[in-house]
């Protein structure tokens, strides 16, 4: 059977396939296929086509569509074919429609009836074909049409049908959980089906169900455990073996379910320990599938309530995976390590060599997985090396999708663990330079914020040093071609704020650079906007300092060009700039105080300064303001609606624009004192558009009371805010700042602030949401000190535990902090910023002690391997001893299953399962002596000693020592 | 669940594609091309796994295996075990081998519908249904027996005798 040509394929089809195969170009292939389409179109409508021919035509259609051509003209023929009585044509028809149609296709309606009929067919093969179609073609609306039949098939005599019916129900559940929610009990019932295959199939939907709602399936833990035990003890019929392993796919699914059920549930987990331990011992690690089961065991162990013995076995498995030559196993090893590392951080240490190997592996998949692992392992002590590595890798790849991913990881780590702000700024520069367009804009805002605030050093020189070094680095970079827009925005902002601050660069130099930027990126409006605002700030700064401002000719041209710009935003900025230049020094100083970016702007959403005005207006007869939520009926009038739509296009963005307001002539803006009963129409019309506008712009809960008059007042308030910022005094700062004050007794120069200078209007809205994240990153001096003492202590402790005995000396100096830690923790802020100062100090000690420790370190490494070997020996012993035990389980299991059976709806079924399973007794006895192969693989250890030594040092770099403290070592090893 | 099964030759021509969630034809073609491009760029002796987020959307992985002139590719999400999927490819190929005796690319091209029959017995609605190639073969043989019977007689056989319980 199965020779070329198969069953009755004609010469034509063979020729088609052959000619397509021999086609030299895509064009030639297309020509052939188009010819074929023409032929088929003609042939399909011919009357009286023999069945065999018809089937072939349909297959040819499918083939054509697979090659990417439209075969929709023949869909109807495929549908017709499903109506045929013969299995031969029906199956082909079903195959074609499942490949052609989606569940929402119009033709489905013609098939549902056939499916219904076929589900009731005597021939189980027809039923199977129909079930196949059900999975693919039935959508939420048509589920009820076939559901009764499918449920009925759960009791079909053929296990193949039962299996597929279960799967079909599962599919329904995926598509629309509500449609089958009343049938969940069916899944439970099928779990104790006579046929292990059906039971295995039931695990698929159960896995999904458990995933959605763990708590309602806790009662099944006992059953799952006993099933897994029986499977692992080889009590299923031989036919379920795969490569000598009993039903590995069922084992894997069960382990997955157990992992979910045992997560965070000590009691449930305890029931699983024994069986999982058994599988660890019994599983054959020489075959692919055996390793798959072992990997699943590790996943399960890492997810359930931890058990030291199992963790040990899991660590053994991981060690074996990582030492393997197979990249697939290494990949799984790294993945498993990432899972286990949360529970026992110390195991990472044993495998650091292997991890480095994987990082340098040419295999991209492995590399990425390893970065994922490193991401999980990152601490403030190793962040520099890891982020450096990540950025290097990021630069080397082209895959934008993954680039974005890795960039966000870098940024996250850098923000979380940055050891110093210099490092942070440099890292960010690299990230922006190479992947600026992939960076979230929030990151840029964070960076600006950091430069404005510093990490909160008390030391003023440090503070200005940070800024000037940022300015320096940006002036160096600014000339580079094709910088990403986001990065340019940061550069412009920083230059505008601090370009001339330290007097190193003249205003004309900086403004010249800014003009260059605006010119070079003339089609990027955001960059231009930033550049103009930066220009304004520099001029204002000059004027306030009493120097005469000479505007460079290119600046003049730029301003003129922008004031005629199509973008209103750019125009406004240009005009503002011109206006500012025309003012006198005192006014400028007031409008744009120097270094205002780090001042708090307090927004009183109630706008209390307007209250007088409002009251006056009401006295004059204006209507009080009714908040939108309390208004009723205005949306019911269709006239208003259409008006609404006209004036405020559906885009929400526009409603936030303040410019819109003056355009409404019907709004009594210009004539505030409108009489109360002016007209019923007039008043509501402005309200919807107008009030929404202001509310959004000021984010203001409408709490005051005037009607149209109040409308105008609010507008005033808004403009006033934009025109002249009201800075809050430090007394009204946030609670965080307040607590700083009490701790320190000194008002910090920085608190939580917005980054934009107040005058650059319109940007406030974008900054509002970012402020929260900025606060997370922003670090005030007191918090930092506290964090340093706390965090330094605790992170040292953490490191100590993660490194085993290797660095006890390093950890000692911080012991004092640890004692204080609990007391201070109460006061500690929830989100811990990285502590640069103290930690740096601490790390010095680590660095100096590092080399001294080397020999010990090595010794330990050796010891470890010995231990490892002996532990496996133990395992063998244990498993050997377990031999008789296995028989004991075996006897027990009948009772355990029956215990589990209380949860089942029919005890009969359970009995069946037990009897079915125990019929294969002979297999169980072979369970004892498997793990000898474990021992042999265990001792094959890494490369030669010198290599290992070197790597060990590198590893310590990754794991422990900060690179900045011993740059030479670092350079040698990492190149 | 399993999202897609693809078999393509080393020139990038699709030989069998099955998507368990519907995708329009153009999208399918795009995916096949991208996957082929990625597979070509993979070196020898690297792992058989790949992240496929950029091709199939979030939470997608891909396992491939290279046999002679053919790539077998399975795409699936995190609910499946990579190594097990690799073995599932093995099951599929073993079954094909049993069915066609030393399967080669031509067998696959010319027995398109049979290939689908086999695949449908192994993977059903995106879930692994059967992993024993012997069992799959039994069903496939039964189907072709009945098909040829019904084809020659023109009637559906009412009794099912050839089907044996395990």
């Amino acid at each position: 059977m199965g020779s070329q040509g198969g069953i009755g394929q004609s010469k034509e089809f063979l020729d088609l396939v052959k000619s397509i195969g021999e086609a030299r170009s895509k064009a030639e292939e297309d020509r052939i296929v188009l010819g074929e389409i023409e032929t088929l179109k003609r042939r399909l409508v011919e009357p009286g086509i023999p069945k065999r021919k018809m089937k072939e035509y349909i297959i040819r259609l499918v083939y054509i569509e697979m090659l990417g051509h439209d075969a929709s003209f023949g869909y109807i023929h495929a549908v017709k074919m499903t109506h045929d009585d013969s299995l031969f044509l029906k199956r082909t028809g079903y195959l074609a429609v499942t490949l052609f149609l989606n569940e929402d296709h119009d033709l489905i309606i013609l098939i549902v009836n056939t499916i219904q009929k076929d589900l009731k067919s005597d021939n189980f093969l027809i039923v199977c074909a129909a079930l196949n179609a059900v999975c693919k073609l039935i959508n939420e609306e048509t589920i009820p049409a076939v559901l009764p039949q499918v449920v009925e098939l759960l009791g079909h005599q053929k296990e193949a049908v039962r299996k597929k019916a279960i799967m079909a129900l599962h599919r329904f559940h995926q598509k629309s959980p509500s449609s089958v929610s009343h049938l969940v009990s069916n899944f439970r019932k099928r779990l104790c089906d006579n046929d292990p295959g059906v039971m295995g199939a039931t695990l698929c939907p159960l896995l999904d169900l458990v995933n959605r709602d763990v708590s309602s399936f806790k009662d099944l833990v006992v059953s799952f455990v006993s099933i897994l035990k029986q499977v692992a003890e080889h009590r299923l019929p031989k036919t379920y073996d795969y490569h000598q392993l009993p039903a590995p796919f069922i084992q894997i699914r069960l382990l997955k379910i157990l992992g979910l059920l045992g997560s965070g549930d000590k009691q449930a987990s305890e029931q699983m320990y024994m069986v999982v331990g058994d599988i660890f011992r019994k599983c054959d690690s020489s075959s692919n599938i055996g390793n798959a089961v072992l990997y699943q065991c590790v996943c399960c162990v890492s997810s359930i309530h931890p058990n030291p013995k199992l963790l040990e076995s899991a660590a053994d498995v991981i060690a074996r995976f990582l030492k393997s030559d197979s990249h697939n196993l290494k990949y799984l090893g790294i993945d498993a390590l990432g899972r286990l590392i949360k529970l026992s951080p110390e195991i990472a240490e044993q495998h650091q060599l292997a991890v480095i190997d994987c990082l340098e592996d040419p295999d991209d998949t492995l590399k990425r997985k390893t970065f994922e692992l490193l991401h999980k392992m990152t601490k403030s002590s190793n962040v520099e090396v890891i982020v450096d590595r990540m950025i290097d890798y990021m630069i080397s790849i082209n895959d934008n999708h993954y680039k974005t991913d890795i960039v966000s990881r870098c940024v996250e780590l850098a923000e979380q663990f940055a050891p110093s702000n210099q490092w942070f700024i440099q890292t960010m520069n690299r990230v922006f330079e190479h992947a600026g367009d992939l960076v979230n804009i929030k990151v840029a805002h964070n960076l600006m914020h950091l430069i404005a605030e510093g990490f909160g050093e008390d030391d003023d020189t440090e503070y200005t040093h940070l800024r000037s070094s940022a300015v320096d680095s940006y002036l160096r970079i600014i000339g580079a071609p094709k910088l990403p827009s986001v990065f340019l925005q940061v550069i412009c902002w920083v230059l505008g704020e601090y370009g001339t601050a330290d007097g190193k660069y003249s205003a004309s130099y900086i403004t010249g650079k800014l003009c260059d930027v605006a010119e070079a990126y003339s089609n990027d409006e955001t960059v231009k906007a930033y550049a103009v605002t930066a220009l304004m700030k520099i001029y204002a700064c000059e004027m306030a300092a009493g120097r005469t401002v000479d505007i460079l000719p290119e600046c003049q041209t730029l301003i003129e060009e922008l004031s005629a710009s199509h973008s209103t935003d750019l125009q406004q900025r240009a005009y503002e700039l011109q206006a500012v230049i025309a003012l006198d020094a005192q006014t400028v100083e007031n409008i744009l105080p120097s270094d205002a970016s780090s001042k708090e702007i307090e927004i009183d959403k109630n706008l209390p300064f307007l209250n007088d005005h409002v009251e006056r207006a009401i006295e004059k007869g204006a209507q009080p303001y009714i908040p939108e939520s309390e208004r009723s009926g205005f949306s019911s009038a269709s006239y208003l609606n259409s008006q609404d739509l006209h004036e405020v296009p559906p885009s929400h963005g526009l409603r936030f624009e303040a410019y819109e307001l003056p355009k409404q002539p019907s709004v009594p803006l210009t004539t505030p004192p409108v009489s109360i009963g002016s007209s019923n129409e007039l008043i509501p019309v402005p309200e919807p558009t107008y009030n929404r506008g202001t509310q959004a712009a000021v984010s203001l809960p409408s709490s005051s009371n005037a009607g149209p008059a109040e409308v105008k007042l609010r507008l005033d308030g808004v403009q006033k805010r934009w025109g002249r910022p009201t800075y809050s005094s430090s007394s009204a700062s946030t609670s965080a700042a307040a607590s700083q004050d009490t701790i320190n007794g000194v008002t910090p120069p920085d608190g939580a602030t917005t980054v934009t200078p107040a005058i650059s209007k319109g940007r406030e809205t974008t900054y509002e949401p970012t402020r929260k994240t900025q606060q997370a990153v922003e670090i005030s001096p007191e918090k930092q000190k506290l964090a340093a003492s706390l965090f330094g202590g605790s992170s040292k402790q953490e490191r100590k535990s993660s490194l085993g005995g290797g660095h006890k000396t390093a950890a000692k100096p911080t012991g004092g902090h640890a004692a204080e830690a609990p007391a201070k923790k109460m006061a500690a802020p929830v989100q811990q910023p990285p502590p640069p100062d103290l930690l740096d100090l601490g790390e010095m000690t680590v660095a100096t002690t590092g080399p001294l420790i080397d020999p010990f370190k090595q010794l330990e490494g050796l010891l470890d391997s010995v231990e490892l070997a002996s532990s496996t020996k133990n395992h063998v012993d244990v498993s050997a001893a377990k031999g008789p035990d296995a028989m004991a389980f075996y006897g027990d299991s009948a009772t355990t299953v029956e215990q589990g059976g209380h949860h089942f709806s029919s005890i009969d079924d359970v009995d069946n399962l037990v009897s079915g399973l125990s019929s294969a007794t002979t297999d169980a006895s072979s369970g004892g002596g498997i793990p000898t192969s474990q021992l042999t693989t265990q001792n094959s250890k890494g490369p030669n000693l010198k290599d290992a030594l070197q790597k060990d040092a590198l590893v310590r770099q990754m794991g422990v020592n900060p690179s900045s403290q011993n740059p030479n070592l670092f350079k040698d090893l990492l190149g | 669940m399993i999202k897609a099964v693809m078999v393509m030759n080393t020139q990038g021509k699709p030989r069998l594609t099955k998507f368990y969630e519907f995708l329009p034809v153009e999208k399918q073609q795009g995916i096949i091309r991208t996957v082929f491009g990625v597979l070509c760029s993979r070196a020898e002796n690297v792992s058989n796994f790949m992240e496929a987020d950029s091709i199939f959307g979030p939470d997608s992985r891909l396992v491939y295996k290279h046999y002679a002139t053919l790539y077998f590719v399975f795409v699936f999400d995190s609910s499946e075990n990579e190594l097990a999927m690799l073995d599932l490819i093995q099951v599929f190929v073993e079954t094909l081998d049993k069915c066609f005796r030393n399967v080669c690319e031509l067998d696959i091209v010319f027995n398109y519908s049979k290939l689908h029959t086999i695949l449908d017995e192994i993977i059903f609605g995106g879930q692994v249904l059967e992993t024993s190639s012997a069992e799959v073969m039994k069903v496939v043989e039964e189907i072709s027996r009945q098909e040829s019977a019904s084809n020659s007689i023109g009637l559906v056989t009412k009794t099912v005798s050839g089907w044996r319980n395990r």
Side-chain angles (χ1 to χ4, degrees), chain A residues 1-7 9 13-14 17 20-21 23 29 51-52 55 59 62-63 65-69 75 85-88 91 95 98-102 122-126 128 131-132 135-136 158-160 163-164 167-168 170-171 174 195 197 204 207 239-240 242-243 249 252-253 256 288-289 291-293 295-296 327-329 331-332 362-366 368-369 372 399 401, chain B residues 1 11 13-22 25 28-29 32-33 42 45-51 53-54 61 65 78-88 90-91 94 99-101 104 106-107 109-114 116-117 120-121 123-132 135 137-144 146-148 150-151 154 156-158 160 163-166:
Chain A
M1 62 178 293
S3 64
Q4 288 170 23
I7 319 163
Q9 267 139 4
F13 183 54
L14 300 191
V17 170
I20 287 175
E29 183 188 308
K51 284 180 179 174
R52 191 170 285 279
K55 173 185 169 174
I59 295 290
V62 175
Y63 190 68
E65 188 157 287
M66 186 180 71
L67 293 173
H69 294 265
Y75 289 178
D85 279 337
S86 83
L87 175 71
F88 180 66
R91 279 182 39 84
L95 169 65
T98 51
L99 291 171
F100 286 149
L101 307 182
N102 68 346
D122 292 339
N123 187 336
F124 81 97
L125 289 175
I126 289 182
C128 285
L131 279 172
N132 218 346
C135 275
K136 188 72 194 289
K158 286 281 177 206
E159 73 269 11
K163 255 200 286 196
K164 289 185 177 175
M167 297 290 207
H170 181 203
R171 195 76 177 150
Q174 284 175 335
D195 185 83
C204 294
L207 177 61
T239 44
Y240 287 92
Y242 177 79
H243 291 218
F249 284 85
I252 287 172
R253 256 179 238 150
K256 257 182 214 155
N288 207 5
I289 193 72
N291 285 321
V293 175
Y295 164 75
Q296 207 59 55
H327 279 79
N328 290 343
L329 290 186
Y331 173 90
L332 289 186
D363 184 355
D364 247 14
T365 314
L366 192 54
R368 289 177 189 189
K369 200 76 194 170
E372 231 168 82
D399 173 1
H401 182 85
Chain B
M1 68 176 281
Q11 268 115 52
K13 283 223 166 61
R15 289 310 185 194
L16 173 84
T17 56
K18 186 143 193 160
F19 293 84
Y20 289 93
E21 249 139 36
F22 182 81
V25 178
Q28 293 184 5
Q29 291 301 310
I32 292 167
R33 268 195 300 276
R42 302 275 295 170
N45 299 327
V46 293
S47 62
N48 299 80
F49 313 136
M50 273 169 47
E51 310 275 318
D53 294 18
S54 52
R61 289 176 239 180
K65 207 157 181 188
S78 61
S79 68
E80 306 287 340
N81 175 323
E82 281 103 332
L83 218 48
M85 284 297 119
L86 193 60
D87 262 61
L88 200 64
Q90 184 67 33
V91 170
E94 267 174 31
C99 188
F100 299 112
R101 302 215 182 82
C104 69
L106 278 180
D107 292 321
V109 179
F110 290 123
N111 294 282
Y112 191 72
S113 62
K114 192 156 202 174
H116 274 288
T117 308
D120 284 346
E121 288 304 317
I123 301 171
F124 188 86
Q127 302 288 343
V128 183
L129 181 72
E130 178 60 72
T131 52
S132 150
E135 290 299 317
M137 276 311 293
K138 267 189 214 163
V139 181
V140 172
E141 273 164 24
E142 173 70 20
I143 288 172
S144 45
Q146 282 206 25
E147 277 190 349
S148 54
S150 79
N151 201 36
V156 181
T157 39
K158 290 285 182 205
V160 186
W163 185 258
R164 283 167 293 160
N165 269 316
R166 303 191 243 213

Side-chain angles (χ1 to χ4, degrees), chain A residues 457-477:
Chain A
E457 291 85 355
D458 288 332
D459 190 356
D460 253 3
T461 55
E462 184 73 13
Y463 195 50
T464 49
H465 179 65
L466 165 69
R467 292 172 174 185
S468 59
S469 74
V471 170
D472 279 347
S473 70
Y474 290 152
L475 283 175
R476 261 201 311 278
I477 294 170

Side-chain angles (χ1 to χ4, degrees), chain B residues 47-76:
Chain B
S47 62
N48 299 80
F49 313 136
M50 273 169 47
E51 310 275 318
D53 294 18
S54 52
I55 308 171
F56 279 90
D59 190 23
S60 324
R61 289 176 239 180
L62 179 158
V63 163
Y64 69 96
K65 207 157 181 188
H66 188 173
Y67 290 94
T69 57
L70 290 174
Y71 284 116
F72 285 76
V73 183
F74 282 25
V75 185
F76 51 92

Side-chain angles (χ1 to χ4, degrees), chain A residues 94-115:
Chain A
Y94 274 132
L95 169 65
V97 291
T98 51
L99 291 171
F100 286 149
L101 307 182
N102 68 346
E103 53 184 34
D104 300 320
H105 199 281
D106 294 339
L107 291 176
I108 297 291
I109 207 94
L110 298 175
I111 303 175
V112 172
N113 208 6
T114 319
I115 292 180

